[in-house]
Amino acid sequence: MKILYDLGIYFYYIFIRIGRIGFSKARLWIDGRKNWQQRLVEARDMSRPCIWFHCASLGEFEQGRNLIEAIREHAPHYQLILSFFSPSGYEIRKNYAHVDHVCYLPLDTAANARNWVQLLQPEMVFVVKYELWLNLFGELKKKKIPLMLVSARVRKTGNPYSNMIRKRLYQLAFSACTHIFAQDEQSAADIQAISPDAAVSVSYDTRFDQVWSTREAHTDIPELAAFKKERLCIVCGSTWPRDEALLFGAYTKLKETVDLCLVIAPHEIHQARINKWTAAFPQESIRFSDIDQLSDQDRILWIDNIGMLSRLYAYADIALIGGAWKKKVHNILEAVVFGCPVIFGPNHQNLPEATDLIRLGGAHSVNNESELLLCLDDLLRSADQRAKIRDVHTDFVKERLGATEFILNWCKKAGFLTSTEPI
């Protein structure tokens, strides 16, 4: 199985090299890893102990962010190194102030793994959620470096053969982990069914701590308040073309009877796509970059920058979360923490909280434009229903807080994390 894994890594690299010709993300992936050893040597302060955090992309970073900042506050004498696999994480967070160095993780070959661990010499490692790199994990185990998997969850497919391969890869990865912090009881049971000897605790999901911190630290966005006025507002987060087509189909009908405005933050900012929709609604549309030209006619605000989305939901009466009409739903907790009802498409099984909130009545999954129209119309016309959902969401998040403190306390009790610099 290890041979198959190494072959898979090799072919992945070939695929990325080919993709570099026509895809900007592939170019960033390749170029960002050039001279990685030299850059790591220059960044690593060997006079300080090191903690390494690894995240696949931006979503996993947000999942682990609260833990990173808690460790920075608790133990400032450590040098904190943050690595990403994907350009969408690195490019947005390469200047993140709460760590000492942000970089790309090199491809997980045996040679790269040996060199990475030798150059970094971390005292402990935190990997968020899914990233299971067998060569790196094996090297950490060989060097007896504590490795913690945070907010862990087992991914499954509908293909029995694929799941059999995944199970064996999971077994190899879990056997290298010092401790695994599962995000829920089902995840813990799944992990131990695969690897009975794995040390697993249910810590719950660090994302709940992170979104609650975002809510507590929220600062007003005057431009949003000026745009919204007294109107009902649908904030549409991480949208794709299919999401936007459904939204505007429903919006065209709703705006005739409801005093309504839209705030749209696309998953990826493509000016041509924004131009298409602003041309379809020329008298109502404005970009955030042009917000100083705001007029009373503007009812559709396009967010043409990165980094604002989590703050936008404070202005939402309803949140529409993208992705689930294409592949999988994006982060819903950023909206849930502000109490607004959330709506998404049918492909939401990747987020357990989506299923939980549908059951509790705080979230709605719709399949098509007609279902979306009915759902929006019902929620927009019932302030009482929206108020009840706000209470449901607040209780839901509060009941799941504490993962960051749980993990921090575990590490201190295990002797892996000291709050003061050794003499």
Side-chain angles (χ1 to χ4, degrees):
M1 187 60 68
K2 179 64 166 52
I3 293 174
L4 290 177
Y5 174 83
D6 288 334
L7 283 172
I9 293 292
Y10 173 77
F11 284 116
Y12 181 86
Y13 180 69
I14 297 298
F15 176 78
I16 289 291
R17 294 291 298 186
I18 295 171
R20 185 177 186 272
I21 298 170
F23 296 96
S24 59
K25 277 191 175 181
R27 287 195 296 273
L28 289 170
W29 195 99
I30 294 290
D31 294 344
R33 288 167 168 80
K34 288 180 178 178
N35 302 317
W36 68 264
Q37 296 185 57
Q38 179 183 340
R39 284 189 276 178
L40 192 61
V41 169
E42 292 171 355
R44 179 71 176 96
D45 179 0
M46 300 306 294
S47 69
R48 301 169 64 191
C50 171
I51 298 177
W52 166 36
F53 297 89
H54 177 68
C55 305
S57 189
L58 187 61
E60 287 77 13
F61 165 78
E62 292 298 335
Q63 198 155 20
R65 181 176 181 172
N66 229 52
L67 180 62
I68 295 172
E69 294 178 11
I71 288 178
R72 168 60 85 202
E73 181 178 355
H74 174 78
H77 59 286
Y78 283 95
Q79 184 180 26
L80 305 188
I81 304 292
L82 170 64
S83 65
F84 286 100
F85 184 76
S86 166
S88 59
Y90 174 81
E91 292 299 324
I92 294 173
R93 292 301 179 187
K94 59 187 175 184
N95 297 315
Y96 178 53
H98 293 277
V99 298
D100 299 287
H101 180 61
V102 183
C103 58
Y104 280 103
L105 185 71
L107 197 67
D108 187 35
T109 65
N112 281 348
R114 285 193 301 272
N115 290 336
W116 175 272
V117 174
Q118 177 61 35
L119 294 174
L120 196 61
Q121 295 186 31
E123 286 204 359
M124 59 191 305
V125 179
F126 292 95
V127 175
V128 179
K129 198 174 181 178
Y130 285 143
E131 291 285 90
L132 305 177
W133 298 115
L134 298 188
N135 287 312
L136 275 165
F137 279 27
E139 192 66 23
L140 292 169
K141 183 178 181 180
K142 187 190 304 181
K143 300 291 186 181
K144 298 182 180 180
I145 296 170
L147 168 62
M148 272 62 71
L149 191 59
V150 176
S151 294
R153 188 164 167 246
V154 174
R155 283 197 274 194
K156 298 178 181 178
T157 71
N159 184 326
Y161 180 71
S162 176
N163 281 332
M164 182 179 69
I165 295 174
R166 283 176 183 268
K167 181 176 180 179
R168 181 55 184 148
L169 294 176
Y170 279 134
Q171 286 173 338
L172 292 171
F174 292 156
S175 68
C177 293
T178 306
H179 202 86
I180 300 171
F181 298 96
Q183 64 176 254
D184 52 46
E185 287 85 354
Q186 185 59 56
S187 296
D190 289 341
I191 290 167
Q192 294 205 299
I194 292 170
S195 184
D197 295 332
V200 185
S201 297
V202 179
S203 64
Y204 293 106
D205 196 335
T206 50
R207 285 179 303 154
F208 288 93
D209 295 337
Q210 179 56 43
V211 296
W212 190 262
S213 295
T214 299
R215 170 179 153 158
E216 294 293 286
H218 175 74
T219 55
D220 292 337
I221 307 174
E223 297 90 343
L224 262 292
F227 169 76
K228 179 179 178 180
K229 302 183 179 69
E230 299 302 318
R231 299 179 294 202
L232 291 169
C233 180
I234 303 174
V235 173
C236 313
S238 299
T239 58
W240 294 86
R242 173 61 174 160
D243 311 330
E244 292 153 13
L246 293 171
L247 168 68
F248 282 112
Y251 168 73
T252 302
K253 300 177 179 67
L254 288 168
K255 70 175 184 176
E256 301 302 325
T257 57
V258 181
D259 190 13
L260 178 64
C261 64
L262 307 179
V263 177
I264 307 173
H267 184 69
E268 296 178 345
I269 297 172
H270 294 293
Q271 295 300 335
R273 201 167 94 222
I274 297 177
N275 290 341
K276 167 194 165 185
W277 288 116
T278 55
F281 299 89
Q283 304 303 316
E284 304 172 54
S285 302
I286 187 171
R287 290 170 167 82
F288 189 83
S289 57
D290 297 325
I291 199 69
D292 58 340
Q293 303 173 35
L294 182 67
S295 73
D296 290 338
Q297 289 181 305
D298 293 322
R299 298 173 66 172
I300 304 170
L301 175 60
W302 287 91
I303 305 299
D304 54 353
N305 61 63
I306 299 294
M308 287 184 65
L309 179 56
S310 61
R311 298 172 63 204
L312 299 177
Y313 291 119
Y315 297 88
D317 294 286
I318 298 173
L320 180 73
I321 312 298
W325 286 284
K326 183 181 179 182
K327 292 183 179 180
K328 59 183 181 180
V329 69
H330 293 295
N331 189 341
I332 70 171
L333 288 180
E334 290 178 335
V336 168
V337 76
F338 284 105
C340 55
V342 291
I343 303 173
F344 39 77
N347 301 317
H348 55 76
Q349 293 76 17
N350 57 301
L351 296 182
E353 62 268 21
T355 302
D356 291 340
L357 285 168
I358 290 172
R359 177 176 49 82
L360 294 170
H364 304 268
S365 175
V366 298
N367 294 295
N368 50 48
E369 183 184 315
S370 61
E371 290 184 12
L372 177 61
L373 176 61
L374 287 172
C375 187
L376 285 171
D377 188 60
D378 183 46
L379 290 168
L380 289 168
R381 293 181 187 280
S382 177
D384 287 345
Q385 187 177 356
R386 297 197 304 273
K388 289 178 182 177
I389 288 173
R390 187 173 301 275
D391 291 339
V392 167
H393 285 183
T394 299
D395 291 343
F396 182 81
V397 175
K398 282 185 173 181
E399 288 169 1
R400 290 159 176 79
L401 296 177
T404 301
E405 184 177 3
F406 182 96
I407 296 168
L408 200 63
N409 286 338
W410 187 94
C411 291
K412 287 191 287 187
K413 288 178 182 177
F416 296 147
L417 186 64
T418 58
S419 58
T420 57
E421 186 170 3
I423 298 175

